[in-house]
């Protein structure tokens, strides 16, 4: 059994600065978790916070699918996904598959700052 829960961090290009700022603000809470994320998001969060963030591929190159697979393997417990609903994404089917798998496996998936704040500070996690 894992000692810490794992949180995946994902953000579309237009939301990367938002997730980095959110991670900086919530660094103390994030330190309690094992962290992973897709490509550039993981790199940016790690550089900005000094936290260790396991890096998967970028979303369009399969990172969303890698995160989805880890959810199915019960190795990811929470997803923080700052997605951009106003921009078309070339990998939209992968994004929808990731959202679907999080719902199927009944794990929290926060898609905006307000929800991410509630999830990361919840006593249920």
């Amino acid at each position: 059994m894992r000692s810490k829960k794992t949180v995946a961090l994902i953000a579309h290009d237009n939301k990367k600065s938002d997730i980095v700022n959110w991670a900086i603000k919530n660094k103390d809470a994030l330190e309690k978790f094992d962290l992973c994320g897709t490509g550039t998001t993981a790199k940016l969060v790690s550089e900005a916070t000094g936290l260790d963030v396991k890096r998967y591929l970028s979303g369009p190159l399969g990172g969303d699918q890698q995160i989805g697979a880890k959810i199915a393997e019960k190795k990811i417990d929470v997803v923080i996904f700052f997605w951009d609903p106003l921009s078309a994404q070339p990998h939209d089917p992968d994004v929808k598959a990731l959202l679907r798998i999080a719902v199927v496996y009944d794990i929290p998936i926060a898609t905006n700052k307000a929800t991410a704040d509630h999830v990361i500070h919840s006593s249920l996690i």
Side-chain angles (χ1 to χ4, degrees):
M1 184 170 195
R2 293 177 290 139
S3 60
K4 287 202 246 181
K5 297 212 180 247
T6 300
V7 175
L9 304 170
I10 307 166
H12 284 149
D13 288 344
N14 290 342
K15 299 291 183 173
K16 291 205 190 304
S17 63
D18 293 343
I19 202 166
V20 167
N21 290 331
W22 178 85
I24 291 167
K25 181 181 173 191
N26 291 284
K27 180 181 176 185
D28 290 343
L30 291 172
E31 285 177 326
K32 300 172 187 169
F33 301 97
D34 288 327
L35 303 173
C36 65
T38 52
T40 307
T41 301
K43 179 179 180 242
L44 292 172
V45 168
S46 181
E47 288 174 351
T49 63
L51 297 170
D52 183 32
V53 185
K54 178 182 169 98
R55 240 174 122 180
Y56 290 103
L57 297 172
S58 72
L61 297 178
D64 296 328
Q65 292 179 339
Q66 287 179 303
I67 298 286
K70 293 298 178 188
I71 292 169
E73 294 171 8
K74 299 184 181 190
K75 293 184 178 177
I76 291 178
D77 305 290
V78 176
V79 176
I80 307 295
F81 185 2
F82 284 22
W83 69 296
D84 183 359
L86 301 179
S87 297
Q89 302 296 326
H91 63 296
D92 193 54
D94 296 337
V95 172
K96 286 191 171 112
L98 176 61
L99 296 171
R100 185 180 314 107
I101 204 77
V103 170
V104 167
Y105 282 88
D106 197 27
I107 69 159
I109 182 161
T111 58
N112 60 32
K113 181 186 168 302
T115 309
D117 286 341
H118 284 297
V119 167
I120 208 72
H121 294 288
S122 171
S123 62
L124 300 174
I125 298 204

